[in-house]
Amino acid sequence: MQTQFLKLFVIALAINALSCKKNNTLSEYQFEEKGIVLNCDNTNLKLYNEALFSFEKDIETYYGNDKPNLIRAYSQFIRSAVGGHAKYEDIISQHTLNIFEVLKDKNNLWDANNPKSYLNYNSPLVNCIAKNIQNKDLNTTLNALISANSMSPKLFGSPLMTNYSSVSRDKYLAAYVAFDLFYAKLFNIDFSKINLDRTEANTTSNKNITPPVDPHAGHNH
């Protein structure tokens, strides 16, 4: 009787271990002290906020020019991403990659059948972003594109590039950039070929690039 009970107990432990393995979770949160800036999905609230802050840290580092500047980083990243030449392999850190591995399991966040973006524009997260973007023009444009089923990174990217200074202040707009122009693009990256132990010099190889001069810089849009 005891032997049978022991066997059942071992089987139960094995099933539980397999279940835990399938339920991919993030083991470390590095930006909890920044608080919650996206009040969107109660289930994944903590994860989405961590994803945003980790993405911002990565672009600040990559486009830092020795002095991290989030506005400048957003300006250069958005231009590169919309233009189709962002170097995701060089930008991403190990922590951000760990976050992406968990995000991949959030089925309602992605749409594999959308040829314009893997991001699901009808997901609760995107709906939340669309409702809360502070810039009225961008809010109107985003909602109109989604309603017309015409949303794409390129269509929204054009007005976004001229309003990049708003992104660092508006975390919902920043979340759009993070999830559609960054995380959604990572599905096409072969991470087995990336050296995540690269040196600081390699990580910030883009630091010598002079950011474009924007006549609107420093002004609200």
Side-chain angles (χ1 to χ4, degrees):
M1 189 70 178
Q2 267 190 327
T3 303
Q4 185 177 3
F5 175 81
L6 183 60
K7 286 181 180 179
L8 290 172
F9 182 72
V10 171
I11 291 172
L13 282 177
I15 292 173
N16 184 60
L18 286 172
S19 299
C20 290
K21 189 174 182 180
K22 288 179 181 178
N23 184 21
N24 196 9
T25 57
L26 189 64
S27 60
E28 179 187 13
Y29 286 82
Q30 297 181 359
F31 302 95
E32 287 182 288
E33 77 283 355
K34 289 182 175 288
I36 300 297
V37 294
L38 302 174
N39 288 294
C40 290
D41 183 340
N42 289 333
T43 305
N44 300 303
L45 188 63
K46 188 177 177 182
L47 176 63
Y48 290 163
N49 279 269
E50 185 76 7
L52 172 59
F53 287 126
S54 191
F55 158 71
E56 289 190 333
K57 176 71 179 299
D58 285 359
I59 62 171
E60 269 192 314
T61 300
Y62 184 72
Y63 297 105
N65 285 328
D66 298 319
K67 292 182 180 180
N69 183 305
L70 192 56
I71 294 177
R72 180 176 60 211
Y74 267 119
S75 170
Q76 294 188 227
F77 172 75
I78 292 169
R79 288 175 185 274
S80 296
V82 173
H85 48 82
K87 296 183 178 180
Y88 299 98
E89 301 92 334
D90 296 334
I91 296 171
I92 194 168
S93 64
Q94 180 64 63
H95 183 61
T96 304
L97 178 56
N98 294 341
I99 292 170
F100 175 63
E101 291 298 328
V102 180
L103 287 174
K104 284 196 302 186
D105 292 342
K106 309 305 176 186
N107 294 329
N108 69 339
L109 185 59
W110 312 111
D111 182 0
N113 297 316
N114 184 354
K116 299 173 184 176
S117 172
Y118 281 114
L119 186 64
N120 178 7
Y121 293 131
N122 295 309
S123 66
L125 176 63
V126 175
N127 289 336
C128 175
I129 289 171
K131 289 177 183 176
N132 289 286
I133 288 177
Q134 296 169 11
N135 184 298
K136 291 183 179 179
D137 291 337
L138 290 177
N139 188 306
T140 300
T141 301
L142 179 60
N143 280 283
L145 288 171
I146 292 174
S147 297
N149 199 30
S150 301
M151 178 60 188
S152 74
K154 285 195 174 182
L155 280 178
F156 191 61
S158 181
L160 188 63
M161 281 192 291
T162 60
N163 288 275
Y164 69 84
S165 61
S166 299
V167 182
S168 62
R169 299 189 302 269
D170 183 350
K171 291 308 180 186
Y172 288 96
L173 189 56
Y176 164 76
V177 174
F179 283 90
D180 203 15
L181 300 185
F182 186 75
Y183 286 108
K185 302 294 186 182
L186 299 183
F187 284 95
N188 297 319
I189 303 298
D190 183 0
F191 291 105
S192 67
K193 297 179 180 179
I194 298 177
N195 176 22
L196 288 167
D197 295 323
R198 56 189 177 264
T199 64
E200 180 69 12
N202 289 331
T203 305
T204 57
S205 60
N206 206 31
K207 282 185 176 182
N208 292 325
I209 295 177
T210 302
V213 176
D214 191 329
H216 303 292
H219 298 281
N220 292 329
H221 298 278

